[in-house]
Amino acid sequence: MGGLEIERKFLVADDSYKSLATSSSHIKQGYICNERGRTVRVRLRDERAYLTIKGPSHDDGLSRYEFEQEISLADAEQLFHLCVSGVIDKRRYLVPVGRHTFEIDEFYGANAGLVVAEVELSTTKESFERPSFLAEEVTGDRRYYNSMLSKKPFSLWD
């Protein structure tokens, strides 16, 4: 499945989102290609695996092309051998707020201490209810892209 991905990204102020979450899953992901303007990612999400291709960001980081295909767990494990930089390890919480569902990623390993919330939108101008656990908006700040966190983890930031 492919199309235009439109999302806004925020830092998270506290862990109140955990009590609001309807589900959570463990995610491990690595990058086969991790260059500016294009990424090819392999992801394990609990017991399912995906191959994702993303294009360059547009609209100040709000949108970009994304193609995603489910693959077998065996294929994913083999593709992890082709990954070029560090592996991202995180837990994703799904938190419904108004008409939207926020995806909150709590990172582990070299990115421990970082918690980021994303909300997917239909258009770049779409409004959404802002929950109290959101802090500073970081949409378009490349440091917070998972592809960048695999190269320069949060633990190495100044």
Side-chain angles (χ1 to χ4, degrees):
M1 174 171 149
L4 189 64
E5 173 187 60
I6 301 169
E7 65 184 16
R8 291 180 63 181
K9 189 177 287 204
F10 300 85
L11 296 179
V12 174
D14 58 52
D15 69 353
S16 63
Y17 64 89
K18 289 183 180 180
S19 65
L20 303 171
T22 56
S23 67
S24 74
S25 55
H26 180 251
I27 296 175
K28 172 186 166 188
Q29 67 189 40
Y31 292 87
I32 296 168
C33 174
N34 190 355
E35 299 178 12
R36 188 176 182 103
R38 70 181 65 96
T39 60
V40 179
R41 173 185 78 201
V42 60
R43 171 183 277 177
L44 290 175
R45 184 172 186 164
D46 292 332
E47 300 301 318
R48 299 178 84 171
Y50 303 89
L51 183 66
T52 306
I53 301 168
K54 292 189 178 195
S57 293
H58 304 287
D59 305 310
D60 294 324
L62 274 173
S63 65
R64 63 181 165 177
Y65 175 79
E66 178 182 86
F67 170 87
E68 185 168 80
Q69 181 72 44
E70 188 166 358
I71 60 175
S72 73
L73 292 173
D75 286 344
E77 289 298 341
Q78 290 300 312
L79 289 172
F80 270 108
H81 296 291
L82 300 176
C83 292
V84 294
S85 55
V87 171
I88 298 288
D89 186 23
K90 62 187 179 180
R91 175 150 298 275
R92 173 165 290 169
Y93 297 85
L94 299 182
V95 179
V97 178
R99 298 182 342 260
H100 297 89
T101 297
F102 283 79
E103 297 179 341
I104 294 97
D105 290 342
E106 179 182 6
F107 291 86
Y108 305 124
N111 289 299
L114 180 61
V115 183
V116 176
E118 296 179 352
V119 60
E120 288 200 17
L121 305 171
S122 300
T123 71
T124 58
K125 303 288 185 202
E126 183 179 354
S127 63
F128 59 93
E129 188 177 326
R130 187 182 171 111
S132 62
F133 57 77
L134 292 187
E136 174 188 355
E137 183 167 5
V138 294
T139 302
D141 186 334
R142 294 179 45 77
R143 295 176 301 164
Y144 294 98
Y145 291 6
N146 283 271
S147 59
M148 294 303 290
L149 290 169
S150 72
K151 290 180 181 180
K152 187 173 183 184
F154 185 65
S155 62
L156 299 178
W157 295 11
D158 294 332

